[in-house]
């Protein structure tokens, strides 16, 4: 996002500074509108207040970049925290029963059953982490639905602009190409974090399978079965319950976006 914002702000500056050398233009022949990061409408007094308008344009680009990074940074941090908790629970469960011998007491006293105490603690923490993942999903699910639709549409339009300007100079391609690549990376990071949560949420199940559960008491095995039952359906992030954010679905979204691009291209 910062790279895209910098390119948007540098493009009109570079165009103005290198007009004589590269584009065989004078600075006076460059319109004021082309010296701004994006097109704006301020009426007849546009040229009179060009400098305050330019400051407003550049501040808007930076503010949009920082706002997007703040929201995405929160999303990434929450996902990684949930994955870390699943990893801690899985590591604890994997060591269940490793210190027991073959002649252990299956019906040992609950107070002296360390494996049972560890498993019970993991079960309680596992329930809390599942609820935490559900809160993440409910917080971002509607945002991702809008982001997904807008990314597919805008990336298709940016792709069309790139194809239309292939015969022109690089100045007309850099802008839409930057938007297209930035949106693709932005969308990939969202789906990538969703894939992280899918993979790590089933880690307790795999850890129980690798553990020496057969060296534990009956009450401990019942808790392990209960945890395995809770991990049958992994935690996931969805776009308004319509699409699960995963790498496989990201490939589907990219294919859909390219199909939109083909349709828009044929309508020219």
């Amino acid at each position: 996002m910062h790279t895209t914002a910098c390119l948007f702000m540098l493009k009109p500056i570079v165009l103005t500074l290198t007009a004589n050398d590269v584009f065989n233009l004078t600075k006076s022949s460059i319109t004021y509108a082309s010296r701004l990061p994006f097109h704006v409408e301020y009426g007849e007094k546009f040229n009179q207040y060009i400098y305050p308008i330019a400051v407003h344009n550049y501040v808007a680009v930076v503010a949009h970049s920082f706002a997007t990074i703040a929201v995405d940074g929160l999303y990434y941090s929450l996902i990684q925290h949930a994955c870390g908790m699943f990893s801690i629970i899985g590591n604890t469960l994997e060591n269940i029963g490793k210190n027991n011998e073959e002649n252990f007491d299956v019906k040992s006293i609950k107070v002296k059953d360390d494996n049972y105490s560890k498993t019970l603690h993991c079960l309680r923490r596992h329930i809390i982490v599942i609820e935490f993942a559900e809160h993440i999903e409910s917080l971002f699910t509607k945002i991702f639905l809008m982001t997904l639709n807008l990314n597919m549409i805008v990336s298709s339009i940016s792709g069309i602009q790139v194809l239309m300007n292939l015969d022109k100079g690089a100045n007309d391609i850099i802008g839409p190409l930057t938007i297209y690549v930035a949106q693709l990376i932005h969308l990939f990071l969202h789906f990538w974090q969703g894939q992280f949560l899918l993979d790590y949420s089933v880690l307790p199940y795999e850890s129980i399978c690798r553990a020496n559960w057969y060296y534990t008491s009956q009450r401990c095995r019942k808790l392990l079965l209960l945890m395995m039952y809770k991990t049958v359906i992994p935690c996931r992030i969805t776009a308004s319950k319509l699409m699960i954010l995963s790498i496989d679905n990201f490939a589907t979204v990219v294919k859909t976006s390219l199909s939109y691009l083909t349709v828009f291209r044929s309508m020219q």
Side-chain angles (χ1 to χ4, degrees), residues 4-236:
T4 306
C6 290
L7 290 175
F8 258 95
M9 291 186 292
L10 287 175
K11 177 185 174 182
I13 296 175
V14 173
L15 175 63
T16 304
L17 295 177
T18 62
N20 296 329
D21 301 330
V22 179
F23 300 103
N24 295 323
L25 298 172
T26 60
K27 295 181 180 180
S28 59
S29 63
I30 302 176
T31 60
Y32 285 115
S34 62
R35 301 182 186 182
L36 300 177
F38 53 88
H39 181 72
V40 293
E41 291 288 347
Y42 279 91
E44 298 178 354
K45 297 184 178 181
F46 176 78
N47 295 339
Q48 181 180 354
Y49 299 101
I50 180 61
Y51 293 108
I53 292 173
V55 172
H56 179 265
N57 269 244
Y58 288 113
V59 170
V61 173
V62 174
H64 177 77
S65 175
F66 272 97
T68 305
I69 291 172
V71 175
D72 289 348
L74 174 63
Y75 168 65
Y76 301 152
S77 300
L78 294 176
I79 291 294
Q80 291 301 318
H81 176 69
C83 293
M85 293 301 296
F86 280 122
S87 181
I88 292 172
I89 294 171
N91 182 69
T92 305
L93 292 173
E94 192 171 351
N95 294 319
I96 293 293
K98 284 191 174 181
N99 296 327
N100 291 357
E101 300 177 354
E102 295 183 0
N103 56 350
F104 72 99
D105 188 5
V106 180
K107 298 181 179 180
S108 60
I109 303 174
K110 184 184 295 186
V111 180
K112 297 182 179 180
D113 195 348
D114 294 335
N115 291 324
Y116 175 79
S117 301
K118 293 179 181 179
T119 306
L120 182 60
H121 177 72
C122 289
L123 176 61
R124 291 171 178 171
R125 301 302 300 176
H126 188 243
I127 294 174
I128 294 175
V129 178
I130 291 177
E131 292 178 353
F132 179 68
E134 291 175 352
H135 287 314
I136 299 175
E137 202 275 336
S138 63
L139 180 62
F140 290 96
T141 180
K142 294 181 180 179
I143 298 176
F144 286 149
L145 178 62
M146 294 185 293
T147 303
L148 185 61
N149 291 323
L150 289 175
N151 267 282
M152 286 194 297
I153 296 174
V154 177
S155 60
S156 300
I157 295 175
S158 301
I160 292 174
Q161 291 178 340
V162 172
L163 294 176
M164 292 175 60
N165 297 323
L166 286 177
D167 298 334
K168 301 179 181 179
N171 182 45
D172 298 324
I173 299 178
I174 293 176
L177 183 61
T178 303
I179 296 177
Y180 182 81
V181 174
Q183 288 178 337
L184 193 64
I185 296 175
H186 187 211
L187 199 63
F188 170 75
L189 291 175
H190 286 170
F191 280 82
W192 190 29
Q193 295 299 317
Q195 185 66 48
F196 265 116
L197 187 61
L198 281 173
D199 295 338
Y200 276 83
S201 61
V202 298
L203 190 60
Y205 182 94
E206 298 174 354
S207 299
I208 293 173
C209 294
R210 290 193 296 265
N212 294 342
W213 54 267
Y214 37 83
Y215 287 158
T216 59
S217 60
Q218 293 181 353
R219 66 174 68 91
C220 183
R221 295 177 189 179
K222 292 179 181 179
L223 292 181
L224 293 175
L225 286 174
L226 181 60
M227 289 194 65
M228 295 178 72
Y229 175 75
K230 286 184 173 296
T231 55
V232 171
I233 300 177
C235 299
R236 46 195 161 186

